């Protein structure tokens, strides 16, 4: 049995009722008309589109465009899914059997671990350590893999911390997994959202022919509503097994969504440049905000992604997030949604265009919260 998805149930309750979202993990979106304007002839192409079933692997043109994001894969190495969530599920069902051992970075998006647990697999956490800027310990990975793990699940740039390893460290992770006989499932949905001056990592599927790279248009492209995700992997036998699982889920994607996804990839450069400019300004605001309030928060600047995972110097993040919603209309994500070991942390998202004004609202709330009685050390400090 799959347990309730804590983060998604939280968003189901609050995402469309909270006045101001400050924890979203996706990027600022655009309209259909704005997307079509980026590609000559796209509007006419969409109007001519027939609304029948699509290729269960994904439209051939779309798979070719996705393959262009990688160095070594072809369109036949791509399997398109309805969002990244479906791809995680089809991989776990295709790659794992009861009793298998999985090692996964933590904190993590819940399905990266709990789908495996629902299949009676054992999941060992590879912790991203705040004391090391959220870097995980390579020596610990060696111990966790120990020749018995079937799959290593990694996520870089990391949700929610924004940690991103160096190319050398990432290659070492894949090499160690290969030596221990573990297949790598690499969640790369935040790829192309790196901080200024931070290079994009090579995709896992380009470094290791057995590795699976997960991608989606929701984050760096800002097109969450298209619900288009994919996996890239040179192991076609695994892709075939995943396709048989997909037959029990969406079967195939939406024709209009896949057409628009192809438009997005044709307009890749302007779309990514648009997001880079937005994230660059928002990161500066984010870092200044938390560094100016070092008496209230622990903060590690994200090297990539659209989220950060600050912590309270004192107090409980559940109460902090609840009061922020009640008193300032701001939705923040309590760290406990990632597990009980993160009670003092919360997720903040900075990929939206209204980030600056919402950060001002958070600043006002912090002044109120810091003067209150509940666990703020009675310091009465105010910024």
């Amino acid at each position: 049995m799959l347990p309730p998805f804590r983060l998604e149930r939280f968003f189901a309750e609050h995402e469309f009722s909270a006045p101001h979202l400050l924890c979203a993990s996706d990027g600022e979106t655009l309209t259909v008309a704005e997307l079509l304007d980026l590609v000559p002839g796209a509007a006419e192409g969409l109007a001519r589109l027939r609304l029948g079933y699509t290729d269960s692997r994904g439209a051939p043109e779309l798979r070719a465009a996705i393959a262009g994001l990688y160095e070594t894969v072809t369109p036949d190495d791509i399997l398109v899914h309805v969002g990244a969530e479906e791809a995680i599920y089809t991989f776990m069902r295709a790659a794992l059997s009861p009793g298998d051992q999985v090692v996964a970075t933590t904190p993590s998006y819940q399905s990266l671990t709990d789908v495996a647990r629902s299949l009676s697999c054992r999941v060992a956490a590879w912790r991203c350590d705040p004391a090391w800027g959220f870097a995980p310990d390579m020596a610990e990975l060696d111990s966790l893999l120990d020749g018995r793990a079937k799959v290593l699940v990694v996520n870089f740039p990391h949700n929610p911390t924004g940690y991103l390893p160096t190319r050398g460290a990432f290659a070492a992770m894949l090499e160690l997994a290969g030596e221990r006989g573990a297949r790598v499932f690499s969640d790369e949905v935040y790829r192309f959202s790196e901080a200024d001056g931070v290079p994009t990592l090579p995709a896992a599927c380009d470094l290791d022919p057995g590795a699976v790279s997960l991608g989606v248009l929701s984050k760096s492209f800002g097109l969450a509503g298209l619900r288009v995700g994919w996996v890239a992997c040179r192991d076609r036998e695994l892709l075939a097994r995943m396709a048989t699982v997909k037959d029990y889920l969406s079967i195939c994607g939406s024709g209009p969504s896949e057409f628009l996804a192809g438009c997005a990839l044709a307009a890749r450069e302007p779309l990514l440049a648009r997001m880079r400019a937005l994230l660059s300004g928002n990161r500066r605001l984010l870092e200044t905000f938390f560094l100016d309030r070092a008496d209230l928060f622990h903060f590690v600047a994200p090297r990539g992604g659209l989220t950060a995972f600050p912590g309270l110097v004192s107090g409980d993040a559940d109460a902090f997030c609840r009061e922020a919603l009640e008193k300032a209309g701001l939705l923040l994500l309590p760290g406990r949604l990632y597990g009980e070991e993160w009670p003092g942390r919360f997720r903040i998202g900075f990929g939206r265009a209204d980030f600056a004004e919402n950060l001002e609202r958070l600043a006002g709330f912090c002044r109120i919260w810091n003067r209150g009685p509940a666990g703020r050390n009675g310091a009465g400090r105010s910024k």
Side-chain angles (χ1 to χ4, degrees):
M1 284 286 292
L2 284 166
F5 204 128
R6 297 181 299 273
L7 182 149
E8 296 301 342
R9 289 299 89 206
F10 177 85
F11 274 117
E13 180 179 358
H14 297 295
E15 182 175 7
F16 298 102
S17 60
H20 310 291
L21 264 64
L22 196 49
C23 60
S25 65
D26 60 340
E28 182 69 24
T29 195
L30 64 166
T31 67
V32 172
E34 288 169 332
L35 175 57
L36 292 173
D37 283 346
L38 295 174
V39 183
E44 294 79 7
L46 180 61
R48 292 192 301 268
L49 185 69
R50 294 183 62 81
L51 297 177
Y53 288 117
T54 62
D55 188 329
S56 64
R57 298 169 298 169
E61 301 83 2
L62 176 57
R63 287 187 285 118
I66 293 170
L69 299 173
Y70 303 97
E71 298 295 328
T72 63
V73 304
T74 72
D76 288 336
D77 301 318
I78 305 296
L79 181 61
V80 178
H81 289 77
V82 177
E85 179 73 88
E86 183 182 54
I88 294 169
Y89 187 84
T90 63
F91 169 78
M92 298 292 179
R93 288 298 303 254
L96 296 172
S97 300
D100 284 344
Q101 182 167 311
V102 175
V103 177
T105 49
T106 186
S108 71
Y109 191 60
Q110 188 174 332
S111 58
L112 291 173
T113 56
D114 280 8
V115 174
R117 290 192 177 102
S118 77
L119 299 172
S120 299
C121 297
R122 295 166 295 156
V123 179
W126 188 29
R127 188 171 186 265
C128 294
D129 194 336
W132 296 355
F134 289 112
D137 184 350
M138 286 295 293
E140 182 187 15
L141 178 62
D142 192 12
S143 173
L144 290 171
L145 290 173
D146 72 6
R148 291 180 297 176
K150 184 78 169 288
V151 169
L152 169 63
V153 178
V154 294
N155 166 213
F156 306 119
H158 184 249
N159 170 15
T161 70
Y163 171 73
L164 183 67
T166 64
R167 177 175 181 147
F170 186 56
M173 295 174 195
L174 271 65
E175 183 178 0
L176 183 58
E179 291 172 354
R180 299 294 186 273
R183 186 190 296 272
V184 174
F185 182 82
S186 180
D187 179 346
E188 299 166 5
V189 301
Y190 291 95
R191 198 165 181 240
F192 308 122
S193 65
E194 297 79 15
D196 295 342
V198 177
T200 300
L201 285 181
C205 64
D206 286 330
L207 296 178
D208 176 353
V212 179
S213 289
L214 173 69
V216 79
L217 291 179
S218 305
K219 312 301 183 183
S220 305
F221 287 86
L223 297 171
L226 292 185
R227 307 303 301 133
V228 172
W230 62 85
V231 291
C233 179
R234 288 180 276 165
D235 182 345
R236 294 183 187 173
E237 193 275 331
L238 173 64
L239 289 183
R241 296 203 308 272
M242 292 177 65
T244 65
V245 178
K246 187 185 172 192
D247 289 340
Y248 284 90
L249 302 171
S250 65
I251 303 175
C252 66
S254 156
S257 284
E258 292 197 355
F259 178 88
L260 293 171
C263 292
L265 292 169
R268 168 187 169 185
E269 291 306 323
L271 283 179
L272 292 179
R274 161 185 168 271
M275 189 60 69
R276 278 194 297 268
L278 175 65
L279 293 177
S280 180
N282 284 354
R283 275 197 186 91
R284 288 193 293 270
L285 295 174
L286 177 80
E287 292 177 18
T288 298
F289 178 91
F290 283 105
L291 292 176
D292 284 350
R293 293 165 177 80
D295 58 334
L296 300 180
F297 302 104
H298 301 293
F299 178 72
V300 176
R303 285 171 44 82
L306 284 72
T307 63
F309 204 43
L312 301 172
V313 169
S314 64
D316 184 274
D318 283 8
F320 178 79
C321 294
R322 183 173 58 251
E323 289 187 41
L325 181 58
E326 293 172 353
K327 297 178 180 177
L330 288 167
L331 189 66
L332 296 165
L333 194 72
R336 277 197 177 93
L337 292 176
Y338 287 97
E340 289 298 323
E341 65 270 34
W342 306 101
R345 292 194 173 265
F346 59 94
R347 188 179 85 180
I348 185 169
F350 55 90
R352 300 282 184 91
D354 60 359
F355 177 71
E357 58 193 75
N358 284 336
L359 203 60
E360 283 297 316
R361 292 185 176 96
L362 182 60
F365 168 70
C366 285
R367 288 191 289 270
I368 298 169
W369 179 81
N370 195 36
R371 290 195 295 266
R376 271 74 98 186
N377 286 336
R381 295 174 302 222
S382 177
K383 283 191 178 288

